[in-house]
Amino acid sequence: MDLTFTEEEDAFRARLRRWLGEVLPALPAKPAADDWPGRRVYDAAWQRMLYDAGYAGLHWPEDAGGRGATPTQHLIFLEETERAGAPYVGANFVGLLHAGPTVAAEGSAEQRARWLPPILRGDEIWCQGFSEPDAGSDLAALRTTAVRHGDHYVVSGTKLWTSHAEVADWCELLVRTDPDAPRHRGISWLAMPMDAPGVTVRPLRTLAGSAEFAEMFLDEVRVPISHRVGAENDGWRVTMVTLSFERGTAFVGEVVACRRMLGALARAARDNGRWDDAVLRRRLGRLHAEFAALWRLTQWNVSEAAAARPPGGGGGGVPGTGGSVFKLRYSHARQELYDAAAEVLGAGALDADHEWVAGRLSSLSYTIAAGTSQIQRNIVAERILGLPKGR
């Protein structure tokens, strides 16, 4: 992995920085955190600006509508947009960071042509329908069924923690198409239209007070068989592709954000006199090293994914198991960052309106989202270290 910048990459950074400087001052005020219909409009408008400027799907293969940018250009984009305070993907995150890349890697030509351009333009929002009330972290225990009826599947079941379901147009949905097959077989990956009859969404309010998740009830929802990505009963393998993107590259922008927040913490410690505490300085220094190492691991994972992409595009580019190493350590480091924030800010960190409060509450979910830390440890032990499976 070559970490030096070429003249072309330096020029790319300069162009991007110049463009951000021109467009960001003209953006409207961001809607309230709990106004997801408003956030959808705001996030979709920003995505359209990226698309028109040629920055949407920067690292996607060209035959998937992206620019086929190098891993370094992708990371430069993340660094510069975070440095400039540009909007994050927000309501677009499922489509842009997991569903879209999965369709690009596993979908047919017709599916790629149908779903990828609207994702890149911000025209259509996706949600994720994986988790279920009785399955917990054991995704293979899902019970939502899909029974063939003519040229459709008839889907019934319940999904939980369905991200942005109340504002989504499509759902990446896991269903059981063969109830008699072994647990990890008999599962299929479907793209379900959220306006289909039989879909009921009930928002769930989180500890932080927002409602970006929902419970979703499916009552004999008809989904065309042509909306299945991958072969019938091969959904577990396709799901591993989705989760590889979610664990391997979907969090990379947040590492940049954490590094920025750590710098703000250090400045706050200097301003309020806490910098004189040698133990606190060591703690912040260790976190600085931790996030620097995570950023290098991010670069490695992104480079590995790019190397896996076949010449000329056509899918691929799927992150490897290193994504589980990253996700495991990042989720805990993020919580440690907010613990340190409480130490630096003292009683001021308890103000309900303080940005650190919302961040700390949100950080609690990261050891669960995209696979719990226990699941990640199993993956690292079995697939990277080669240890025997637990009994």
Side-chain angles (χ1 to χ4, degrees), residues 74-88:
H74 177 206
L75 296 175
I76 288 172
F77 173 82
L78 294 170
E79 287 179 326
E80 290 299 317
T81 50
E82 177 59 36
R83 183 197 64 81
Y88 191 51

Side-chain angles (χ1 to χ4, degrees), residues 213-278:
F213 302 111
E215 193 171 17
M216 185 168 66
F217 302 92
L218 308 173
D219 182 13
E220 297 189 348
V221 180
R222 295 176 63 83
V223 179
I225 291 174
S226 61
H227 288 186
R228 186 190 67 232
V229 174
E232 184 171 279
N233 300 327
D234 192 32
W236 185 257
R237 184 190 62 80
V238 178
T239 301
M240 292 303 101
V241 172
T242 304
L243 293 178
S244 292
F245 283 115
E246 187 174 11
R247 296 164 183 166
T249 56
F251 290 116
V252 292
E254 298 190 37
V255 175
V256 181
C258 284
R259 297 180 77 183
R260 176 183 58 80
M261 289 188 285
L262 184 59
L265 262 188
R267 290 190 294 273
R270 289 186 176 95
D271 291 341
N272 66 15
R274 296 303 309 279
W275 193 251
D276 295 334
D277 185 338

Side-chain angles (χ1 to χ4, degrees), residues 14 32 48 77 111 117 134 218 357 367 370 376:
R48 183 64 197 223
F77 173 82
Q111 291 170 339
D134 297 324
L218 308 173
V357 173
T367 47
Q376 305 312 315

Side-chain angles (χ1 to χ4, degrees), residues 130-362:
F130 282 15
S131 300
E132 296 188 3
D134 297 324
S137 297
D138 187 6
L139 189 57
L142 66 91
R143 298 180 181 179
T144 296
T145 60
V147 180
R148 273 183 178 256
H149 190 275
D151 58 358
H152 284 72
Y153 289 109
V154 178
V155 180
S156 295
T158 303
K159 294 293 180 177
L160 192 64
W161 307 119
T162 307
S163 306
H164 301 312
E166 63 183 24
V167 296
D169 303 292
W170 293 89
C171 178
E172 53 172 359
L173 185 72
L174 288 188
V175 296
R176 189 162 294 283
T177 40
D178 185 351
D180 298 322
R183 282 165 31 93
H184 293 85
R185 299 174 185 169
I187 294 172
S188 297
W189 196 107
L190 305 181
M192 182 185 73
M194 290 296 289
D195 61 355
V199 177
T200 301
V201 173
R202 186 167 64 192
L204 297 171
R205 191 160 298 278
T206 69
L207 185 66
S210 60
E212 65 266 31
F213 302 111
E215 193 171 17
M216 185 168 66
F217 302 92
L218 308 173
D219 182 13
E220 297 189 348
V221 180
R222 295 176 63 83
V223 179
I225 291 174
S226 61
H227 288 186
R228 186 190 67 232
V229 174
E232 184 171 279
N233 300 327
D234 192 32
W236 185 257
R237 184 190 62 80
V238 178
T239 301
M240 292 303 101
V241 172
T242 304
L243 293 178
S244 292
F245 283 115
E246 187 174 11
R247 296 164 183 166
T249 56
F251 290 116
V252 292
E254 298 190 37
V255 175
V256 181
C258 284
R259 297 180 77 183
R260 176 183 58 80
M261 289 188 285
L262 184 59
L265 262 188
R267 290 190 294 273
R270 289 186 176 95
D271 291 341
N272 66 15
R274 296 303 309 279
W275 193 251
D276 295 334
D277 185 338
V279 174
L280 176 62
R281 289 202 308 273
R282 283 196 295 271
R283 185 176 189 179
L284 295 179
R286 186 185 61 77
L287 282 169
H288 174 78
E290 184 97 45
F291 283 109
L294 282 168
W295 184 244
R296 291 305 189 210
L297 181 57
T298 293
Q299 292 174 308
W300 187 86
N301 284 338
V302 171
S303 297
E304 181 189 40
R309 184 180 299 158
V318 178
T321 51
S324 288
V325 177
F326 167 83
K327 197 273 171 179
L328 175 62
R329 189 54 220 153
Y330 168 72
S331 59
H332 289 273
R334 184 182 177 94
Q335 292 179 358
E336 292 168 11
L337 172 63
Y338 282 101
D339 286 344
E343 186 175 349
V344 170
L345 299 174
L350 300 178
D351 184 343
D353 294 326
H354 200 292
E355 62 176 324
W356 293 101
V357 173
R360 180 63 180 102
L361 295 176
S362 174

Side-chain angles (χ1 to χ4, degrees), residues 5 93 121 233 242 250-251 254 294 313 347 354 363 365 372 379:
F5 296 118
F93 93 89
R121 291 193 301 263
N233 300 327
T242 304
F251 290 116
E254 298 190 37
L294 282 168
H354 200 292
S363 74
S365 69
T372 65
I379 292 173

